[in-house]
Amino acid sequence: QVQVMESGGGLVQPGGSLRLSCAASGFTADYYDIGWFRQAPGKDPEGVSCISKSDGSTYYADSVKGRFTISRDNAKPTAYLQMNDLKPEDTAVYFCATHPHRLVCSIFPELDDDDYRGQGTQVTVSS
C-alpha cells in the first residue's frame, strides 16, 4: 500500500525557517521524483519545488528561489524542504506528491491527479 506522509510544519515568524519532511513507502521502485506543493485557502495548488530521481535535478517556483532548498535521502527514502526567510505569503498547507512510474518533475509545477500525495502539513507565517 502506497503511503505518503509530510511533517515539520508549524507557526513561525516572518524571516524564520522550517524544515519539512516527506516520507514515501509502499513503492517497488527505490527512487522516484518527489514534488512539493502548497495550497492556501481558496486557491489552487501551487508547485513549490521538485527533485528528480534520475540525476537529482531540482526545480523551484520563482517565488521561493533562493529561500527554499529541496533535498532527498535515498537511503530512507525521504525528501526534505528547507524553507528560510519565510514570508506571510508562504502560509499554506504543504504536501508532497510522487509516483513510482511517472516522472513527477516532468510536468512541474503542474500536478497530476494520479500522483500519490499525503494529507499535508500546515505552515503559518505570522508575527
Side-chain angles (χ1 to χ4, degrees), residues 50-91:
C50 201
I51 186 164
S52 74
K53 73 172 184 177
S54 59
D55 59 2
S57 295
T58 56
Y59 308 86
Y60 296 94
D62 289 341
S63 59
V64 307
K65 282 181 181 177
R67 301 187 298 122
F68 290 11
T69 303
I70 191 171
S71 61
R72 66 189 301 161
D73 182 348
N74 289 331
K76 290 188 177 182
T78 301
Y80 305 96
L81 186 68
Q82 177 66 42
M83 306 186 297
N84 298 328
D85 189 24
L86 283 161
K87 304 176 181 181
E89 51 263 42
D90 294 319
T91 296

Side-chain angles (χ1 to χ4, degrees), residues 16-74:
S17 298
L18 283 174
R19 188 192 193 207
L20 306 184
S21 298
C22 170
S25 61
F27 291 168
T28 56
D30 291 331
Y31 306 107
Y32 32 85
D33 291 3
I34 296 179
W36 279 101
F37 298 80
R38 65 187 181 188
Q39 188 168 18
K43 295 187 176 182
D44 292 332
E46 174 190 15
V48 176
S49 185
C50 201
I51 186 164
S52 74
K53 73 172 184 177
S54 59
D55 59 2
S57 295
T58 56
Y59 308 86
Y60 296 94
D62 289 341
S63 59
V64 307
K65 282 181 181 177
R67 301 187 298 122
F68 290 11
T69 303
I70 191 171
S71 61
R72 66 189 301 161
D73 182 348
N74 289 331

Side-chain angles (χ1 to χ4, degrees), residues 110-127:
E110 301 299 321
L111 182 65
D112 192 282
D113 289 341
D114 290 335
D115 289 340
Y116 295 97
R117 63 186 78 176
Q119 294 296 315
T121 184
Q122 177 69 47
V123 171
T124 303
V125 185
S126 175
S127 56

